[in-house]
Short mmCIF file of all heavy atoms in Angstrom, two decimals:
data_model
loop_
_atom_site.label_atom_id
_atom_site.label_comp_id
_atom_site.label_asym_id
_atom_site.label_seq_id
_atom_site.Cartn_x
_atom_site.Cartn_y
_atom_site.Cartn_z
N LEU A 1 3.04 0.96 27.93
CA LEU A 1 3.07 0.04 29.05
C LEU A 1 1.63 -0.26 29.46
O LEU A 1 0.82 0.63 29.63
CB LEU A 1 3.85 0.67 30.21
CG LEU A 1 4.04 -0.18 31.45
CD1 LEU A 1 4.85 -1.42 31.16
CD2 LEU A 1 4.68 0.65 32.52
N LEU A 2 1.33 -1.54 29.62
CA LEU A 2 0.00 -1.98 30.01
C LEU A 2 -0.04 -2.23 31.51
O LEU A 2 0.84 -2.88 32.06
CB LEU A 2 -0.37 -3.27 29.27
CG LEU A 2 -1.70 -3.92 29.65
CD1 LEU A 2 -2.86 -3.01 29.27
CD2 LEU A 2 -1.83 -5.27 28.98
N GLU A 3 -1.07 -1.72 32.14
CA GLU A 3 -1.32 -2.01 33.55
C GLU A 3 -2.66 -2.70 33.64
O GLU A 3 -3.65 -2.26 33.02
CB GLU A 3 -1.33 -0.72 34.37
CG GLU A 3 0.02 -0.04 34.43
CD GLU A 3 -0.02 1.23 35.25
OE1 GLU A 3 -0.86 1.33 36.17
OE2 GLU A 3 0.78 2.13 34.96
N ILE A 4 -2.71 -3.79 34.41
CA ILE A 4 -3.94 -4.55 34.59
C ILE A 4 -4.24 -4.63 36.07
O ILE A 4 -3.38 -5.02 36.86
CB ILE A 4 -3.80 -5.98 34.02
CG1 ILE A 4 -3.46 -5.93 32.53
CG2 ILE A 4 -5.08 -6.78 34.25
CD1 ILE A 4 -3.13 -7.28 31.94
N SER A 5 -5.45 -4.25 36.44
CA SER A 5 -5.85 -4.39 37.84
C SER A 5 -7.17 -5.16 37.87
O SER A 5 -7.96 -5.13 36.93
CB SER A 5 -6.01 -3.03 38.51
OG SER A 5 -7.00 -2.27 37.87
N VAL A 6 -7.38 -5.85 38.98
CA VAL A 6 -8.59 -6.65 39.16
C VAL A 6 -9.26 -6.19 40.44
O VAL A 6 -8.61 -6.03 41.48
CB VAL A 6 -8.27 -8.16 39.27
CG1 VAL A 6 -9.54 -8.96 39.44
CG2 VAL A 6 -7.50 -8.64 38.05
N ALA A 7 -10.57 -5.96 40.36
CA ALA A 7 -11.35 -5.56 41.53
C ALA A 7 -12.66 -6.33 41.50
O ALA A 7 -13.07 -6.86 40.47
CB ALA A 7 -11.62 -4.06 41.49
N ALA A 8 -13.27 -6.41 42.66
CA ALA A 8 -14.58 -7.07 42.75
C ALA A 8 -15.65 -6.11 42.27
O ALA A 8 -15.69 -4.95 42.66
CB ALA A 8 -14.85 -7.50 44.18
N GLY A 9 -16.52 -6.61 41.39
CA GLY A 9 -17.65 -5.82 40.92
C GLY A 9 -18.93 -6.44 41.44
O GLY A 9 -18.91 -7.48 42.08
N GLU A 10 -20.05 -5.82 41.16
CA GLU A 10 -21.34 -6.32 41.62
C GLU A 10 -21.65 -7.70 41.06
O GLU A 10 -22.17 -8.56 41.76
CB GLU A 10 -22.45 -5.34 41.25
CG GLU A 10 -22.44 -4.07 42.05
CD GLU A 10 -23.60 -3.17 41.65
OE1 GLU A 10 -24.66 -3.68 41.26
OE2 GLU A 10 -23.43 -1.95 41.76
N ALA A 11 -21.34 -7.91 39.78
CA ALA A 11 -21.69 -9.18 39.13
C ALA A 11 -20.51 -10.14 39.03
O ALA A 11 -20.68 -11.27 38.60
CB ALA A 11 -22.24 -8.90 37.74
N GLY A 12 -19.32 -9.69 39.39
CA GLY A 12 -18.13 -10.52 39.27
C GLY A 12 -16.91 -9.64 39.16
O GLY A 12 -16.98 -8.43 39.35
N PRO A 13 -15.76 -10.23 38.85
CA PRO A 13 -14.53 -9.46 38.78
C PRO A 13 -14.55 -8.42 37.65
O PRO A 13 -15.19 -8.61 36.62
CB PRO A 13 -13.45 -10.51 38.52
CG PRO A 13 -14.15 -11.74 38.12
CD PRO A 13 -15.55 -11.64 38.57
N VAL A 14 -13.83 -7.33 37.90
CA VAL A 14 -13.66 -6.27 36.90
C VAL A 14 -12.17 -6.15 36.62
O VAL A 14 -11.38 -5.86 37.52
CB VAL A 14 -14.22 -4.92 37.39
CG1 VAL A 14 -13.98 -3.83 36.35
CG2 VAL A 14 -15.69 -5.03 37.73
N LEU A 15 -11.81 -6.40 35.38
CA LEU A 15 -10.43 -6.29 34.93
C LEU A 15 -10.30 -4.92 34.27
O LEU A 15 -10.98 -4.65 33.28
CB LEU A 15 -10.18 -7.40 33.90
CG LEU A 15 -8.80 -7.95 33.70
CD1 LEU A 15 -8.35 -8.67 34.96
CD2 LEU A 15 -8.79 -8.90 32.54
N THR A 16 -9.47 -4.05 34.82
CA THR A 16 -9.29 -2.71 34.26
C THR A 16 -7.95 -2.65 33.55
O THR A 16 -6.92 -2.98 34.14
CB THR A 16 -9.36 -1.64 35.36
OG1 THR A 16 -10.63 -1.73 36.00
CG2 THR A 16 -9.19 -0.25 34.78
N LEU A 17 -7.98 -2.25 32.29
CA LEU A 17 -6.76 -2.12 31.49
C LEU A 17 -6.43 -0.65 31.36
O LEU A 17 -7.29 0.16 31.01
CB LEU A 17 -6.96 -2.73 30.10
CG LEU A 17 -7.47 -4.16 30.04
CD1 LEU A 17 -7.56 -4.62 28.59
CD2 LEU A 17 -6.60 -5.09 30.84
N SER A 18 -5.18 -0.30 31.62
CA SER A 18 -4.72 1.08 31.53
C SER A 18 -3.46 1.14 30.68
O SER A 18 -2.65 0.22 30.70
CB SER A 18 -4.39 1.64 32.92
OG SER A 18 -5.49 1.54 33.78
N GLY A 19 -3.31 2.24 29.96
CA GLY A 19 -2.10 2.45 29.17
C GLY A 19 -2.26 1.99 27.75
O GLY A 19 -3.26 2.28 27.10
N GLU A 20 -1.26 1.25 27.27
CA GLU A 20 -1.25 0.78 25.89
C GLU A 20 -1.06 -0.72 25.85
O GLU A 20 -0.23 -1.27 26.57
CB GLU A 20 -0.13 1.47 25.11
CG GLU A 20 -0.32 2.98 25.05
CD GLU A 20 0.73 3.67 24.22
OE1 GLU A 20 1.62 3.00 23.66
OE2 GLU A 20 0.66 4.91 24.12
N ALA A 21 -1.83 -1.39 24.99
CA ALA A 21 -1.76 -2.84 24.86
C ALA A 21 -1.48 -3.17 23.40
O ALA A 21 -2.16 -2.69 22.50
CB ALA A 21 -3.07 -3.48 25.30
N ASP A 22 -0.45 -3.99 23.20
CA ASP A 22 -0.09 -4.39 21.84
C ASP A 22 0.51 -5.78 21.87
O ASP A 22 0.41 -6.49 22.87
CB ASP A 22 0.86 -3.38 21.20
CG ASP A 22 2.14 -3.18 21.98
OD1 ASP A 22 2.51 -4.07 22.79
OD2 ASP A 22 2.81 -2.15 21.79
N LEU A 23 1.12 -6.17 20.78
CA LEU A 23 1.67 -7.51 20.66
C LEU A 23 2.67 -7.84 21.77
O LEU A 23 2.77 -8.98 22.21
CB LEU A 23 2.33 -7.67 19.29
CG LEU A 23 2.82 -9.05 18.91
CD1 LEU A 23 1.68 -10.06 18.94
CD2 LEU A 23 3.47 -9.03 17.54
N THR A 24 3.36 -6.83 22.28
CA THR A 24 4.36 -7.07 23.33
C THR A 24 3.72 -7.32 24.70
O THR A 24 4.39 -7.81 25.60
CB THR A 24 5.35 -5.89 23.45
OG1 THR A 24 4.64 -4.72 23.85
CG2 THR A 24 6.07 -5.65 22.14
N THR A 25 2.45 -6.97 24.86
CA THR A 25 1.78 -7.15 26.16
C THR A 25 0.61 -8.12 26.09
O THR A 25 -0.05 -8.35 27.10
CB THR A 25 1.27 -5.80 26.71
OG1 THR A 25 0.35 -5.25 25.78
CG2 THR A 25 2.41 -4.83 26.96
N VAL A 26 0.35 -8.69 24.92
CA VAL A 26 -0.81 -9.56 24.76
C VAL A 26 -0.71 -10.81 25.65
O VAL A 26 -1.72 -11.29 26.15
CB VAL A 26 -1.07 -9.91 23.28
CG1 VAL A 26 -0.07 -10.91 22.74
CG2 VAL A 26 -2.49 -10.38 23.08
N ALA A 27 0.48 -11.32 25.90
CA ALA A 27 0.63 -12.49 26.76
C ALA A 27 0.21 -12.16 28.20
O ALA A 27 -0.42 -12.98 28.88
CB ALA A 27 2.07 -12.99 26.74
N GLU A 28 0.52 -10.96 28.64
CA GLU A 28 0.11 -10.52 29.98
C GLU A 28 -1.41 -10.44 30.07
O GLU A 28 -2.02 -10.88 31.05
CB GLU A 28 0.74 -9.15 30.26
CG GLU A 28 0.46 -8.59 31.63
CD GLU A 28 1.09 -7.23 31.83
OE1 GLU A 28 1.83 -6.74 30.97
OE2 GLU A 28 0.81 -6.65 32.89
N LEU A 29 -2.04 -9.90 29.04
CA LEU A 29 -3.50 -9.82 29.00
C LEU A 29 -4.12 -11.21 28.97
O LEU A 29 -5.07 -11.49 29.70
CB LEU A 29 -3.95 -9.01 27.79
CG LEU A 29 -5.46 -8.98 27.53
CD1 LEU A 29 -6.20 -8.36 28.71
CD2 LEU A 29 -5.76 -8.23 26.25
N THR A 30 -3.59 -12.08 28.13
CA THR A 30 -4.09 -13.45 28.04
C THR A 30 -4.02 -14.14 29.39
O THR A 30 -4.96 -14.81 29.81
CB THR A 30 -3.30 -14.24 26.99
OG1 THR A 30 -3.41 -13.58 25.74
CG2 THR A 30 -3.81 -15.66 26.87
N GLY A 31 -2.92 -13.96 30.09
CA GLY A 31 -2.76 -14.55 31.41
C GLY A 31 -3.78 -14.04 32.42
O GLY A 31 -4.35 -14.81 33.19
N ALA A 32 -4.03 -12.74 32.38
CA ALA A 32 -5.00 -12.15 33.30
C ALA A 32 -6.41 -12.63 33.01
O ALA A 32 -7.17 -12.96 33.93
CB ALA A 32 -4.93 -10.63 33.23
N LEU A 33 -6.78 -12.69 31.74
CA LEU A 33 -8.10 -13.19 31.36
C LEU A 33 -8.25 -14.66 31.74
O LEU A 33 -9.25 -15.06 32.32
CB LEU A 33 -8.33 -13.00 29.86
CG LEU A 33 -8.50 -11.57 29.36
CD1 LEU A 33 -8.41 -11.53 27.84
CD2 LEU A 33 -9.81 -10.99 29.85
N SER A 34 -7.25 -15.45 31.41
CA SER A 34 -7.28 -16.89 31.70
C SER A 34 -7.37 -17.16 33.19
O SER A 34 -8.09 -18.07 33.61
CB SER A 34 -6.04 -17.57 31.13
OG SER A 34 -6.03 -17.48 29.73
N ALA A 35 -6.66 -16.38 33.98
CA ALA A 35 -6.68 -16.58 35.43
C ALA A 35 -8.08 -16.36 35.99
O ALA A 35 -8.54 -17.12 36.85
CB ALA A 35 -5.68 -15.63 36.11
N GLN A 36 -8.77 -15.35 35.51
CA GLN A 36 -10.13 -15.08 36.01
C GLN A 36 -11.10 -16.17 35.56
O GLN A 36 -11.95 -16.62 36.34
CB GLN A 36 -10.61 -13.72 35.52
CG GLN A 36 -9.86 -12.56 36.12
CD GLN A 36 -9.91 -12.58 37.64
OE1 GLN A 36 -10.96 -12.72 38.24
NE2 GLN A 36 -8.75 -12.45 38.26
N LEU A 37 -10.98 -16.61 34.32
CA LEU A 37 -11.88 -17.64 33.81
C LEU A 37 -11.57 -19.00 34.45
O LEU A 37 -12.48 -19.80 34.66
CB LEU A 37 -11.78 -17.71 32.28
CG LEU A 37 -12.22 -16.43 31.57
CD1 LEU A 37 -11.95 -16.54 30.07
CD2 LEU A 37 -13.68 -16.12 31.83
N ALA A 38 -10.31 -19.25 34.77
CA ALA A 38 -9.91 -20.53 35.38
C ALA A 38 -10.48 -20.73 36.78
O ALA A 38 -10.72 -21.85 37.20
CB ALA A 38 -8.39 -20.64 35.41
N VAL A 39 -10.70 -19.64 37.49
CA VAL A 39 -11.26 -19.75 38.84
C VAL A 39 -12.78 -19.74 38.84
O VAL A 39 -13.40 -19.65 39.88
CB VAL A 39 -10.70 -18.66 39.80
CG1 VAL A 39 -9.21 -18.82 40.00
CG2 VAL A 39 -11.05 -17.28 39.33
N GLY A 40 -13.35 -19.80 37.63
CA GLY A 40 -14.80 -19.94 37.53
C GLY A 40 -15.59 -18.66 37.43
O GLY A 40 -16.80 -18.66 37.68
N ALA A 41 -14.95 -17.56 37.06
CA ALA A 41 -15.70 -16.31 36.89
C ALA A 41 -16.74 -16.50 35.80
O ALA A 41 -16.40 -16.83 34.67
CB ALA A 41 -14.76 -15.17 36.54
N ARG A 42 -17.99 -16.35 36.15
CA ARG A 42 -19.07 -16.51 35.17
C ARG A 42 -19.39 -15.21 34.46
O ARG A 42 -19.91 -15.21 33.37
CB ARG A 42 -20.31 -17.05 35.87
CG ARG A 42 -20.02 -18.41 36.51
CD ARG A 42 -21.23 -19.15 36.73
NE ARG A 42 -21.91 -19.25 35.44
CZ ARG A 42 -22.66 -20.26 35.09
NH1 ARG A 42 -22.81 -21.25 35.90
NH2 ARG A 42 -23.27 -20.27 33.93
N HIS A 43 -19.09 -14.10 35.12
CA HIS A 43 -19.34 -12.79 34.53
C HIS A 43 -18.09 -11.95 34.77
O HIS A 43 -17.78 -11.62 35.92
CB HIS A 43 -20.57 -12.13 35.17
CG HIS A 43 -20.95 -10.86 34.51
ND1 HIS A 43 -20.46 -9.64 34.91
CD2 HIS A 43 -21.77 -10.61 33.47
CE1 HIS A 43 -20.97 -8.70 34.15
NE2 HIS A 43 -21.77 -9.25 33.27
N LEU A 44 -17.38 -11.64 33.72
CA LEU A 44 -16.14 -10.87 33.81
C LEU A 44 -16.32 -9.57 33.03
O LEU A 44 -16.64 -9.59 31.84
CB LEU A 44 -14.98 -11.68 33.23
CG LEU A 44 -13.62 -10.99 33.13
CD1 LEU A 44 -13.11 -10.60 34.52
CD2 LEU A 44 -12.62 -11.90 32.43
N THR A 45 -16.12 -8.46 33.71
CA THR A 45 -16.19 -7.16 33.05
C THR A 45 -14.77 -6.70 32.75
O THR A 45 -13.89 -6.76 33.62
CB THR A 45 -16.87 -6.12 33.97
OG1 THR A 45 -18.19 -6.59 34.27
CG2 THR A 45 -16.95 -4.76 33.31
N VAL A 46 -14.54 -6.26 31.53
CA VAL A 46 -13.24 -5.71 31.15
C VAL A 46 -13.45 -4.22 30.87
O VAL A 46 -14.15 -3.84 29.93
CB VAL A 46 -12.65 -6.42 29.91
CG1 VAL A 46 -11.30 -5.83 29.55
CG2 VAL A 46 -12.53 -7.93 30.16
N ASP A 47 -12.88 -3.39 31.72
CA ASP A 47 -13.00 -1.94 31.62
C ASP A 47 -11.86 -1.41 30.76
O ASP A 47 -10.69 -1.49 31.15
CB ASP A 47 -12.96 -1.33 33.02
CG ASP A 47 -13.07 0.19 33.02
OD1 ASP A 47 -13.15 0.80 31.94
OD2 ASP A 47 -13.07 0.76 34.13
N LEU A 48 -12.20 -0.88 29.60
CA LEU A 48 -11.21 -0.36 28.66
C LEU A 48 -11.13 1.17 28.68
O LEU A 48 -10.43 1.76 27.86
CB LEU A 48 -11.54 -0.83 27.24
CG LEU A 48 -11.68 -2.33 27.04
CD1 LEU A 48 -12.12 -2.62 25.61
CD2 LEU A 48 -10.40 -3.04 27.37
N SER A 49 -11.82 1.81 29.60
CA SER A 49 -11.93 3.27 29.59
C SER A 49 -10.58 3.97 29.80
O SER A 49 -10.44 5.13 29.41
CB SER A 49 -12.93 3.74 30.64
OG SER A 49 -12.49 3.42 31.95
N ARG A 50 -9.61 3.30 30.37
CA ARG A 50 -8.30 3.92 30.60
C ARG A 50 -7.25 3.44 29.60
O ARG A 50 -6.08 3.78 29.71
CB ARG A 50 -7.83 3.62 32.02
CG ARG A 50 -8.73 4.26 33.05
CD ARG A 50 -8.25 3.96 34.43
NE ARG A 50 -9.18 4.55 35.38
CZ ARG A 50 -9.27 4.19 36.64
NH1 ARG A 50 -8.48 3.26 37.11
NH2 ARG A 50 -10.14 4.77 37.42
N LEU A 51 -7.67 2.64 28.64
CA LEU A 51 -6.77 2.12 27.62
C LEU A 51 -6.62 3.15 26.51
O LEU A 51 -7.61 3.57 25.90
CB LEU A 51 -7.32 0.81 27.07
CG LEU A 51 -6.37 -0.07 26.28
CD1 LEU A 51 -5.20 -0.52 27.15
CD2 LEU A 51 -7.10 -1.27 25.74
N ARG A 52 -5.39 3.58 26.25
CA ARG A 52 -5.14 4.59 25.22
C ARG A 52 -4.98 3.98 23.84
O ARG A 52 -5.23 4.63 22.82
CB ARG A 52 -3.89 5.40 25.57
CG ARG A 52 -4.07 6.29 26.78
CD ARG A 52 -2.86 7.20 26.97
NE ARG A 52 -1.58 6.49 27.01
CZ ARG A 52 -0.99 6.06 28.13
NH1 ARG A 52 -1.56 6.27 29.29
NH2 ARG A 52 0.16 5.44 28.08
N PHE A 53 -4.51 2.73 23.78
CA PHE A 53 -4.24 2.09 22.49
C PHE A 53 -4.37 0.59 22.64
O PHE A 53 -3.96 0.02 23.65
CB PHE A 53 -2.81 2.43 22.03
CG PHE A 53 -2.41 1.70 20.78
CD1 PHE A 53 -2.80 2.15 19.54
CD2 PHE A 53 -1.64 0.55 20.85
CE1 PHE A 53 -2.44 1.47 18.39
CE2 PHE A 53 -1.28 -0.15 19.71
CZ PHE A 53 -1.68 0.32 18.48
N ALA A 54 -4.94 -0.05 21.63
CA ALA A 54 -5.01 -1.50 21.57
C ALA A 54 -4.86 -1.92 20.11
O ALA A 54 -5.57 -1.41 19.25
CB ALA A 54 -6.33 -2.02 22.12
N ASP A 55 -3.92 -2.83 19.83
CA ASP A 55 -3.75 -3.28 18.45
C ASP A 55 -4.63 -4.50 18.19
O ASP A 55 -5.37 -4.96 19.06
CB ASP A 55 -2.28 -3.53 18.12
CG ASP A 55 -1.69 -4.75 18.79
OD1 ASP A 55 -2.41 -5.47 19.52
OD2 ASP A 55 -0.49 -5.01 18.59
N SER A 56 -4.56 -5.01 17.00
CA SER A 56 -5.44 -6.11 16.60
C SER A 56 -5.19 -7.40 17.40
O SER A 56 -6.12 -8.18 17.62
CB SER A 56 -5.31 -6.39 15.10
OG SER A 56 -3.97 -6.75 14.77
N ALA A 57 -3.98 -7.63 17.86
CA ALA A 57 -3.69 -8.82 18.67
C ALA A 57 -4.45 -8.76 19.99
O ALA A 57 -4.95 -9.78 20.49
CB ALA A 57 -2.19 -8.94 18.92
N VAL A 58 -4.56 -7.60 20.56
CA VAL A 58 -5.28 -7.41 21.82
C VAL A 58 -6.78 -7.59 21.60
O VAL A 58 -7.46 -8.27 22.38
CB VAL A 58 -4.97 -6.02 22.42
CG1 VAL A 58 -5.85 -5.72 23.62
CG2 VAL A 58 -3.50 -5.93 22.78
N ILE A 59 -7.29 -7.00 20.54
CA ILE A 59 -8.72 -7.15 20.22
C ILE A 59 -9.04 -8.62 20.00
O ILE A 59 -10.06 -9.12 20.48
CB ILE A 59 -9.10 -6.30 18.99
CG1 ILE A 59 -8.78 -4.83 19.21
CG2 ILE A 59 -10.56 -6.52 18.62
CD1 ILE A 59 -9.43 -4.20 20.42
N ARG A 60 -8.15 -9.34 19.34
CA ARG A 60 -8.35 -10.77 19.10
C ARG A 60 -8.47 -11.53 20.42
O ARG A 60 -9.34 -12.37 20.60
CB ARG A 60 -7.20 -11.31 18.26
CG ARG A 60 -7.30 -12.80 17.98
CD ARG A 60 -6.08 -13.26 17.16
NE ARG A 60 -6.22 -14.65 16.77
CZ ARG A 60 -5.86 -15.68 17.53
NH1 ARG A 60 -5.34 -15.46 18.73
NH2 ARG A 60 -6.02 -16.91 17.11
N GLU A 61 -7.59 -11.24 21.36
CA GLU A 61 -7.63 -11.93 22.66
C GLU A 61 -8.92 -11.64 23.41
O GLU A 61 -9.47 -12.52 24.05
CB GLU A 61 -6.42 -11.55 23.51
CG GLU A 61 -5.15 -12.21 23.08
CD GLU A 61 -5.25 -13.72 23.01
OE1 GLU A 61 -5.74 -14.35 23.97
OE2 GLU A 61 -4.82 -14.28 21.99
N LEU A 62 -9.38 -10.41 23.35
CA LEU A 62 -10.63 -10.06 24.01
C LEU A 62 -11.80 -10.82 23.39
O LEU A 62 -12.68 -11.33 24.10
CB LEU A 62 -10.87 -8.55 23.95
CG LEU A 62 -9.90 -7.70 24.77
CD1 LEU A 62 -10.09 -6.23 24.45
CD2 LEU A 62 -10.08 -7.96 26.25
N VAL A 63 -11.80 -10.92 22.07
CA VAL A 63 -12.87 -11.66 21.39
C VAL A 63 -12.80 -13.14 21.73
O VAL A 63 -13.82 -13.77 22.01
CB VAL A 63 -12.80 -11.43 19.86
CG1 VAL A 63 -13.73 -12.39 19.12
CG2 VAL A 63 -13.13 -10.00 19.52
N LEU A 64 -11.61 -13.72 21.72
CA LEU A 64 -11.45 -15.14 22.04
C LEU A 64 -11.88 -15.45 23.48
O LEU A 64 -12.35 -16.55 23.76
CB LEU A 64 -10.02 -15.59 21.81
CG LEU A 64 -9.58 -15.68 20.35
CD1 LEU A 64 -8.09 -16.00 20.26
CD2 LEU A 64 -10.40 -16.70 19.61
N ALA A 65 -11.72 -14.50 24.37
CA ALA A 65 -12.10 -14.72 25.78
C ALA A 65 -13.60 -14.87 25.92
O ALA A 65 -14.08 -15.57 26.83
CB ALA A 65 -11.60 -13.57 26.64
N ILE A 66 -14.37 -14.24 25.04
CA ILE A 66 -15.84 -14.34 25.15
C ILE A 66 -16.44 -15.39 24.23
O ILE A 66 -17.61 -15.70 24.32
CB ILE A 66 -16.52 -12.97 24.90
CG1 ILE A 66 -16.25 -12.47 23.50
CG2 ILE A 66 -16.12 -11.96 25.95
CD1 ILE A 66 -17.08 -11.30 23.10
N ALA A 67 -15.62 -15.91 23.33
CA ALA A 67 -16.11 -16.90 22.37
C ALA A 67 -15.28 -18.18 22.48
O ALA A 67 -14.38 -18.38 21.67
CB ALA A 67 -16.06 -16.33 20.96
N PRO A 68 -15.56 -19.00 23.48
CA PRO A 68 -14.73 -20.20 23.67
C PRO A 68 -14.77 -21.17 22.51
O PRO A 68 -15.59 -21.37 21.78
CB PRO A 68 -15.30 -20.84 24.92
CG PRO A 68 -16.59 -20.17 25.20
CD PRO A 68 -16.64 -18.92 24.39
#
């Protein structure tokens, strides 16, 4: 189960991912990333320190978020 939380950081929003992220949760991650970028976040930190597992679909979404 993936949990996503958003908090204010010094340079911009911090998206913290907890639990496990895979193909079944990638849409949730994509939505969270898109929502932050859509409101004009110029610097977005993604904290993966609490993520126990991420499959290739999740890694792909993270890469696509930084490489428009």
Side-chain angles (χ1 to χ4, degrees):
L1 183 63
L2 175 65
E3 294 180 28
I4 301 173
S5 62
V6 181
E10 288 182 31
V14 178
L15 207 66
T16 301
L17 307 182
S18 303
E20 298 183 1
D22 58 20
L23 187 59
T24 64
T25 60
V26 74
E28 182 181 355
L29 173 60
T30 302
L33 290 167
S34 296
Q36 292 304 310
L37 298 174
V39 296
R42 299 202 56 149
H43 186 270
L44 175 62
T45 301
V46 181
D47 180 358
L48 305 175
S49 64
R50 296 180 182 161
L51 195 62
R52 291 187 307 267
F53 174 81
D55 71 2
S56 60
V58 172
I59 302 303
R60 179 181 185 274
E61 285 305 312
L62 293 170
V63 170
L64 289 174
I66 62 169

